[in-house]
Amino acid sequence: QVQLVESGGGLVQPGGSLRLSCSASGSIFRIGFMRWYRQTPGNERELVAQISVSNTTNYADSVKGRFTISRAAANYAVYLQMNSLKPEDTAVYYCNADAMTTTNYRVVTYWGEGTQVTVSA
């Protein structure tokens, strides 16, 4: 099994910045794509950003130019630097990763529990 734990959420004023972190642990053999999703009440989870093993990145149009995803291979971590935050960025942010474990050499997608980001004056 793989556990994903997010941190870094909180309350920030419009125009402010936050940096989310997600660390993976467990019987990890390999991690492929890592992603950040977000969800607001009554809505489906929305893909915010993803990063490949080779650090190729993709972003939702709504966050391009404001958010930056990065990863640290050494400790199976992924980060989301969020700048110029807007009230519409308010959501629960979830970390997501495609991983293979040392006991099951199949790619499985894992999710974290989420961290709340609130952008408000």
Side-chain angles (χ1 to χ4, degrees), residues 1-63:
Q1 288 293 325
V2 175
Q3 296 79 40
L4 300 176
V5 178
E6 303 99 336
S7 62
L11 173 65
V12 64
Q13 292 186 344
S17 298
L18 281 176
R19 186 175 189 249
L20 304 183
S21 299
C22 173
S23 294
S25 61
S27 304
I28 299 170
F29 175 71
R30 182 177 182 179
I31 292 185
F33 278 97
M34 301 188 81
R35 308 173 186 89
W36 288 96
Y37 282 77
R38 65 187 181 187
Q39 187 173 26
T40 53
N43 294 306
E44 295 185 356
R45 286 185 188 182
E46 170 194 23
L47 178 61
V48 175
Q50 72 173 15
I51 186 167
S52 71
V53 173
S54 59
N55 291 320
T56 299
T57 58
N58 293 97
Y59 297 92
D61 287 343
S62 59
V63 306

Side-chain angles (χ1 to χ4, degrees), residues 5-12 16-23 36 78-82 85 91-93 95 114-119:
V5 178
E6 303 99 336
S7 62
L11 173 65
V12 64
S17 298
L18 281 176
R19 186 175 189 249
L20 304 183
S21 299
C22 173
S23 294
W36 288 96
V78 65
Y79 309 97
L80 187 68
Q81 177 66 42
M82 305 186 294
L85 282 160
V92 178
Y93 283 72
C95 177
T115 184
Q116 176 71 46
V117 171
T118 302
V119 184

Side-chain angles (χ1 to χ4, degrees), residues 65-111:
R66 300 188 298 120
F67 290 11
T68 302
I69 188 172
S70 60
R71 67 190 291 170
N75 59 354
Y76 299 122
V78 65
Y79 309 97
L80 187 68
Q81 177 66 42
M82 305 186 294
N83 299 327
S84 302
L85 282 160
K86 305 174 181 180
E88 51 263 44
D89 294 318
T90 296
V92 178
Y93 283 72
Y94 296 90
C95 177
N96 164 296
D98 297 336
M100 298 170 63
T101 67
T102 56
T103 57
N104 180 7
Y105 294 96
R106 295 175 59 187
V107 177
V108 175
T109 299
Y110 296 89
W111 291 88

